[in-house]
Amino acid sequence: MSRFAIRHRYAAPRPFVRHPAQFELFELVVPQTTVDSMRISPWRGLPAWHHELDRQSAIMRPRRSLYHRFEATARQLTADRIRACRDATAISRLVNRLSSARYPSGNLHDLDRVWSRAELGDLLVEATNRRTLLAMGRDQPHQKGPPLDPQRLPDDRLEHLIQSHRDLAVVETLRAERERRTRSRQ
């Protein structure tokens, strides 16, 4: 069996054909964009984006229209969409995919040709940060607050800081908080 016959026998469905399994991955309510008369499905989420890129990579041939469609589909991924994703496995897969895209591969057309190194680095940082947040069980990053909030300190730590802190202005603030607590208890 020739290489051409093997490729077409085991290849994913053609890009113009819509199969019922694809309808559940992409919402068709949003109008589809076209690139070189090829339809680009709207953003439906990171797992669907991975699935669509895998499908397009499987049928990739040296044709400009396929390259443009692959790039348009890949460029749907933005930093905001990475921050909005809550699927830890999809984010882990994205980190691996973007990390491998940093170095040119032997594939015909891959993510290393879609973004510049700076853009790829920004997306990789966002994906890595998102993976770390999801691994810690958080959805949003920790909100920054004052470095030392006397109202949030327990009593024993408050007393310890009053006795040991070097900055006298901070010690005066801590003493004022201790006085406020004693007045509120009475």
Side-chain angles (χ1 to χ4, degrees):
M1 190 181 288
S2 72
R3 225 173 43 186
F4 180 76
I6 291 172
R7 174 184 246 178
H8 285 285
R9 184 174 190 183
Y10 297 108
R14 307 267 308 162
F16 298 108
V17 179
R18 288 286 173 207
H19 295 281
Q22 291 175 334
F23 286 114
E24 65 189 27
L25 293 174
F26 296 93
E27 54 189 32
L28 299 175
V29 177
V30 180
Q32 296 184 347
T33 58
T34 58
V35 174
D36 290 338
S37 73
M38 295 185 129
R39 291 180 291 177
I40 307 299
S41 299
W43 178 262
R44 176 71 190 265
L46 195 55
W49 181 83
H50 281 301
H51 182 271
E52 183 65 17
L53 280 187
D54 291 341
R55 188 184 71 77
Q56 288 183 18
S57 295
I59 61 170
M60 188 63 68
R61 293 183 299 279
R63 294 203 171 70
R64 183 178 294 172
S65 59
L66 292 176
Y67 293 165
H68 289 311
R69 186 184 58 173
F70 182 83
E71 289 174 4
T73 303
R75 284 198 172 271
Q76 288 180 345
L77 181 70
T78 61
D80 293 331
R81 288 179 171 163
I82 292 173
R83 283 186 220 113
C85 183
R86 290 178 174 80
D87 188 358
T89 57
I91 290 290
S92 295
R93 185 172 179 207
L94 178 66
V95 169
N96 293 337
R97 185 173 233 161
L98 292 176
S99 296
S100 66
R102 292 177 64 194
Y103 305 102
S105 65
N107 295 342
L108 191 59
H109 195 76
D110 207 8
L111 291 177
D112 58 341
R113 297 179 185 246
V114 174
W115 292 293
S116 68
R117 285 189 63 82
E119 292 171 329
L120 189 61
D122 291 341
L123 290 176
L124 186 59
V125 166
E126 288 293 334
T128 306
N129 290 346
R130 189 66 185 165
R131 182 181 64 181
T132 304
L133 271 179
L134 291 175
M136 290 189 315
R138 291 186 186 164
D139 189 28
Q140 297 294 325
H142 181 70
Q143 295 295 325
K144 302 283 186 193
L148 180 64
D149 188 6
Q151 293 180 351
R152 300 180 76 183
L153 289 174
D155 289 337
D156 59 336
R157 296 307 306 161
L158 185 68
E159 289 297 329
H160 175 73
L161 284 175
I162 288 173
Q163 299 299 321
S164 62
H165 203 281
R166 295 179 188 169
D167 190 1
L168 290 178
V170 173
V171 171
E172 290 301 319
T173 307
L174 295 172
R175 285 182 181 154
E177 175 60 25
R178 182 176 61 183
E179 290 297 320
R180 186 193 67 78
R181 287 183 188 183
T182 56
R183 275 187 261 122
S184 67
R185 289 184 189 137
Q186 293 175 354

